[in-house]
């Protein structure tokens, strides 16, 4: 729980609401005077009365998390009034899907390289370099090059021979 700011100046909530900050102020521990925008955003979206009711209904050890959730959602609603934080989550989910597809394509290219085949797909950003060049020594594979290899590729070797590069 955040420390109470009753001792010197009123909490951000009481200052915003232009009222005296009492020792038992429900807002004081969660809206310190140095964070006035945090309460202003929460008040704009949820209202002081609703936040007060919510904090009184929540167990004391959960109040800080509740306030942080309200503050996060309030800021997201101000930025995107229609979707709020759900809009941000949707954007991130689409980005994860796009990156997963890109990773799958890169892993497929990597498998083709390890089988001494020329890749058939070209990605944006220009040509490809031979990323498998380890100096011709045929030393270790995979981890020293920073490649991601799902465990299923080791068990179901598309190149034959048990290992992606034909042996250890």
């Amino acid at each position: 729980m955040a420390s109470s700011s009753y001792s010197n100046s009123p909490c951000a909530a009481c200052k915003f609401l232009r009222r005296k900050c009492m020792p038992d102020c429900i807002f004081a521990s969660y809206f310190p005077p140095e964070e006035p925008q945090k309460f202003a955003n929460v008040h704009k979206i949820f209202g002081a009365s609703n936040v007060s009711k919510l904090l009184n209904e929540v167990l004391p050890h959960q109040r800080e998390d509740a306030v942080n959730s309200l503050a996060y959602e309030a800021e997201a609603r101000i930025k995107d009034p229609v979707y709020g934080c759900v809009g941000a989550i949707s954007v991130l989910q689409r980005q994860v899907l796009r990156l997963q597809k890109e990773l799958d394509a890169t892993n497929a290219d990597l498998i083709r390289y390890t089988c001494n085949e020329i890749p058939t797909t070209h990605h944006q950003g220009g040509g490809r370099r031979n990323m498998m060049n380890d100096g011709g020594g045929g030393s270790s594979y995979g981890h020293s090059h920073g490649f991601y290899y799902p465990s299923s590729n080791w068990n179901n070797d598309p190149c034959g021979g048990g290992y992606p590069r034909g042996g250890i």
Side-chain angles (χ1 to χ4, degrees):
M1 183 170 13
S3 64
S4 176
S5 60
Y6 171 70
S7 59
N8 293 346
S9 60
C11 69
C14 291
K15 193 171 188 176
F16 183 88
L17 298 170
R18 295 182 179 164
R19 65 182 192 189
K20 184 174 179 169
C21 192
M22 305 302 285
D24 62 342
C25 176
I26 190 75
F27 300 120
S29 295
Y30 312 105
F31 297 101
E34 56 274 356
E35 296 180 36
Q37 195 59 47
K38 180 178 177 181
F39 182 77
N41 291 346
V42 169
H43 179 266
K44 181 177 182 177
I45 301 301
F46 299 105
S49 178
N50 290 329
V51 174
S52 175
K53 287 177 193 173
L54 183 120
L55 290 177
N56 283 316
E57 291 174 5
V58 172
L59 295 173
H61 71 277
Q62 295 176 320
R63 288 178 181 163
E64 187 169 8
D65 287 338
V67 167
N68 289 336
S69 294
L70 291 171
Y72 184 83
E73 177 63 25
E75 188 175 326
R77 283 279 166 190
I78 289 170
K79 291 178 182 174
D80 183 352
V82 176
Y83 296 108
C85 66
V86 173
I89 291 168
S90 295
V91 166
L92 292 172
Q93 284 176 332
R94 285 192 303 271
Q95 186 177 9
V96 165
L97 288 173
R98 182 181 50 79
L99 290 171
Q100 185 63 51
K101 288 178 183 178
E102 189 176 320
L103 179 61
D104 292 343
T106 302
N107 281 332
D109 286 349
L110 186 57
I111 289 170
R112 283 192 290 278
Y113 275 125
T114 60
C115 295
N116 296 321
E117 294 179 16
I118 298 173
T120 57
T121 59
H122 295 284
H123 300 282
Q124 284 184 334
R128 293 189 158 278
R129 298 182 305 176
N130 183 356
M131 296 166 59
M132 297 306 300
N133 184 4
D134 62 358
S139 57
S140 65
Y141 175 74
H143 299 293
S144 65
H145 297 288
F147 294 125
Y148 167 77
Y149 238 100
S151 60
S152 62
N153 287 341
W154 290 96
N155 298 328
N156 303 320
D157 181 19
C159 301
Y163 294 96
R165 294 193 75 188
I168 295 180

